[in-house]
Amino acid sequence: MKKMLFVFDIDGTICEVGKAVPDGLASQLKRLSMKHKTAIASGKPFTYITGLCRQLGITSAAVIGENGGAVSLDACFPPSGFRLASIPEGRENSIELIKSAYRKEFNGRIWTQLNHLNVTFYPVREEDIGLLHAFASQFESDYISAYYHSDCMDFTPSHINKGEGLKTLLEMTGFSADETWVFGDGENDFEMFRTAGNSVCIGGNKKLREIADHCVRDTGSLAEFLERF
């Protein structure tokens, strides 16, 4: 079989939120990484993703972190071919202003993820997630995109997304869009689905299902789907 690029989101795709990657799926990811090029694409920080790859035994996997803002050819330290997206002049403080507003509003009731380019807030108490979401709309603009997750709140410069991160990775690796399979479950996977030649929606996200080439029921069904490759 011709070598291809397989790109996987994390939460809701290869594992449930806050859970480990199931053993069967972990084995499939490791098997794929030996035959093809694999990548993990997430809103999580670059270092978080590399740690996950080391645990899964797939340090050869490429990394697309911070919703496309940080890209590398592998999950090693130091990484090969690391690229960080640029911020347009005059927009350098946009994310910092959102951080300040959230910290003032919620004080010690949030935890701020340690990112380079975007910002992710987690509620200290799970029941406060709705409040984090409700506070977000005032910050959405042509420059800032907001992603409403079940466990956190993401803000990312609009020119940074997983689709742009994937385009950077295609440029770095030489794979074409037609040689690429992407797997995701949420709103921040939409641009990645539009960029790749082959897409698989995990779960019931209506927006993703409308543009996906394939759909599987849940994370547990993904391992079986991957057996064909």
Side-chain angles (χ1 to χ4, degrees):
M1 180 181 289
K2 183 178 181 181
K3 191 170 183 178
M4 294 181 289
L5 172 64
F6 290 84
V7 185
F8 299 90
D9 172 53
I10 300 178
D11 290 329
T13 298
I14 61 172
C15 62
E16 300 302 326
V17 175
K19 304 292 185 180
V21 178
D23 290 343
L25 183 51
S27 295
Q28 287 290 354
L29 293 174
K30 191 169 184 177
R31 179 188 62 81
L32 272 180
S33 71
M34 295 176 181
K35 297 176 60 178
H36 302 282
K37 182 66 176 177
T38 55
I40 302 295
S42 174
K44 301 287 190 189
F46 178 82
T47 50
Y48 175 100
I49 302 171
T50 57
L52 174 64
C53 290
R54 289 195 297 275
Q55 283 201 322
L56 292 172
I58 56 171
T59 53
S60 61
V63 173
I64 301 174
E66 298 192 31
N67 287 321
V71 181
S72 73
L73 288 171
D74 60 33
C76 299
F77 266 85
S80 300
F82 181 79
R83 294 190 189 181
L84 198 63
S86 60
I87 299 297
E89 186 176 353
R91 297 290 189 176
E92 296 89 351
N93 291 327
S94 297
I95 292 295
E96 291 301 321
L97 291 174
I98 296 173
K99 287 182 183 179
S100 296
Y102 262 81
R103 286 168 178 163
K104 181 178 180 181
E105 178 72 14
F106 296 100
N107 199 7
R109 293 157 56 200
I110 58 171
W111 182 81
T112 307
Q113 189 168 275
L114 303 177
N115 299 344
H116 285 93
L117 299 169
N118 64 348
V119 62
T120 305
F121 301 109
Y122 286 84
V124 172
R125 301 182 305 175
E126 292 181 5
E127 59 266 31
D128 283 347
I129 187 62
L131 298 177
L132 269 65
H133 286 178
F135 193 63
S137 61
Q138 62 186 299
F139 303 107
E140 294 186 74
S141 67
D142 290 341
Y143 179 69
I144 295 292
S145 295
Y147 299 109
Y148 299 77
H149 303 292
S150 63
D151 63 333
C152 64
M153 187 69 231
D154 259 341
F155 294 96
T156 302
S158 298
H159 71 289
I160 296 174
N161 57 66
K162 288 186 182 180
E164 291 301 314
L166 177 55
K167 289 176 184 178
T168 297
L169 184 59
L170 294 179
E171 175 191 333
M172 294 166 72
T173 59
F175 285 101
S176 68
D178 288 341
E179 295 169 329
T180 303
W181 285 77
V182 295
F183 301 79
D185 75 304
E187 294 292 319
N188 63 339
D189 297 311
F190 186 77
E191 294 300 330
M192 184 168 73
F193 273 43
R194 291 183 60 188
T195 301
N198 309 277
S199 55
V200 181
C201 177
I202 289 73
N205 185 288
K206 183 177 179 181
K207 185 176 181 180
L208 281 185
R209 291 179 72 90
E210 288 177 350
I211 65 170
D213 298 302
H214 305 272
C215 298
V216 299
R217 184 176 63 257
D218 51 29
T219 296
S221 306
L222 180 55
E224 182 179 350
F225 183 89
L226 295 176
E227 288 177 358
R228 69 186 67 188
F229 301 105

